[in-house]
Amino acid sequence: MTTAHPAPASRPARTDKSARTVTVVPARAAWSAVVPAGDLLTITDLHGNQAVDFLVYDAHDTTVRYSAPDTIHAQGNIFLTTGSVLLSNEHTPLMTVVEDTCGRHDTVGGACSKESNSLRYGHHTWSQHACVDNFLAEGARHGLGKRDLVSNINWYMNVPVEKDGTLGIVDGISAPGLRVTLRAEADVLVLVSNCPQINNPCNGFEPTAVEMTITGAAA
C-alpha cells in the first residue's frame, strides 16, 4: 500500500502571551511551532490510539535538544507521564508534563523510516511515508537536517518491555479525547510527526488526526 506524501500543516501564529491557538494536524502530516517559555502545549488524541512522534529543541540554540538518555536516567523510568521533565543533552529542562489523561508514553520505540519499514515488514513498504520523512521535511524549515534527528518521544504509543528485555509495539491504551499537556521551561522548537505507520498497531492500523493547542502563560 502506498500513502501520499502529506502537505505540511499550518503553523499557528502567536500574537500575545494570553493567546490560545489550536491546530488540527491531519493523519500522516507534520507540524512545528516555537513554544515560548511558560506557555503550554496540549496534544489531544482526537480519535484514540494515534502515536505522535515528537522532538524538541532549544529555540535559540538547536544543538541543545531532547535527550532520551538524560530524561530516562533522571526520572528512573522509560515511560513518561505527569511530572516527567524532558531534559536536553546538556541536562537542562526543556518541557515538563503537567497533565496526562492517558498515563503512559514511550521513549524508546523510535521513529519509523523507509529503512526500518523495509527491514521489519518487507521491501514492498519502501514507498510508504514515514515519520523520519516528516521530521526531515518539517525540520528543514528551521535549518535542521538529518544529523539533528535524535531519539524521539512517542506520545500515546504503547511499547511494553518484556522480562527478557525485548520490546513490543502493541495496541494502544489511549482513547478519543485523551490529552497530554507540557509546559515549556525555555523557548523551545517542537517538531511533530503525526505517525503514518500502518504496519503495526501503534495507530490502530488507521492513522487519524490529532490536535495541537498552544496556550499563553497569561491565559
Side-chain angles (χ1 to χ4, degrees):
M1 178 177 178
T2 301
T3 55
H5 191 105
S10 60
R11 298 189 190 90
R14 293 302 308 282
T15 56
D16 58 67
K17 290 297 287 183
S18 63
R20 181 174 181 269
T21 59
V22 180
T23 304
V24 174
V25 183
R28 302 180 174 88
W31 176 88
S32 64
V34 172
V35 183
D39 284 14
L40 301 176
L41 172 65
T42 299
I43 305 168
T44 304
D45 188 0
L46 294 175
H47 302 282
N49 294 343
Q50 173 60 41
V52 181
D53 289 44
F54 180 98
L55 289 170
V56 57
Y57 304 78
D58 185 306
H60 305 290
D61 179 4
T62 55
T63 64
V64 179
R65 67 276 304 264
Y66 169 72
S67 168
D70 286 80
T71 300
I72 293 168
H73 180 265
Q75 68 172 2
N77 195 326
I78 64 169
F79 300 114
L80 302 176
T81 188
T82 305
S84 297
V85 180
L86 311 187
L87 294 178
S88 76
N89 53 331
E90 295 190 351
H91 212 72
T92 54
L94 294 172
M95 305 188 85
T96 300
V97 180
V98 296
E99 182 187 27
D100 175 21
T101 62
C102 178
R104 190 172 75 179
H105 306 271
D106 168 62
T107 60
V108 296
C112 59
S113 66
K114 294 180 182 297
E115 293 80 7
S116 64
N117 281 346
S118 296
L119 181 64
R120 292 172 178 169
Y121 311 115
H123 189 70
H124 67 281
T125 66
W126 174 261
S127 60
Q128 294 176 6
H129 195 62
C131 285
V132 169
D133 300 316
N134 275 340
F135 281 144
L136 289 174
E138 196 66 20
R141 299 184 178 210
H142 304 277
L144 301 175
K146 196 166 188 177
R147 291 184 178 182
D148 298 300
L149 299 189
V150 295
S151 296
N152 60 285
I153 294 166
N154 294 305
W155 302 111
Y156 304 110
M157 187 164 148
N158 190 12
V159 183
V161 180
E162 306 298 338
K163 290 183 178 180
D164 62 359
T166 58
L167 303 178
I169 299 176
V170 299
D171 290 338
I173 59 174
S174 184
L178 295 190
R179 64 190 180 274
V180 57
T181 298
L182 302 105
R183 181 181 63 238
E185 306 297 353
D187 295 342
V188 294
L189 168 64
V190 171
L191 298 185
V192 159
S193 171
N194 194 20
C195 184
Q197 182 60 257
I198 58 173
N199 301 290
N200 67 49
C202 72
N203 300 318
F205 300 102
E206 185 178 355
T208 54
V210 296
E211 184 179 271
M212 313 295 293
T213 303
I214 300 176
T215 305

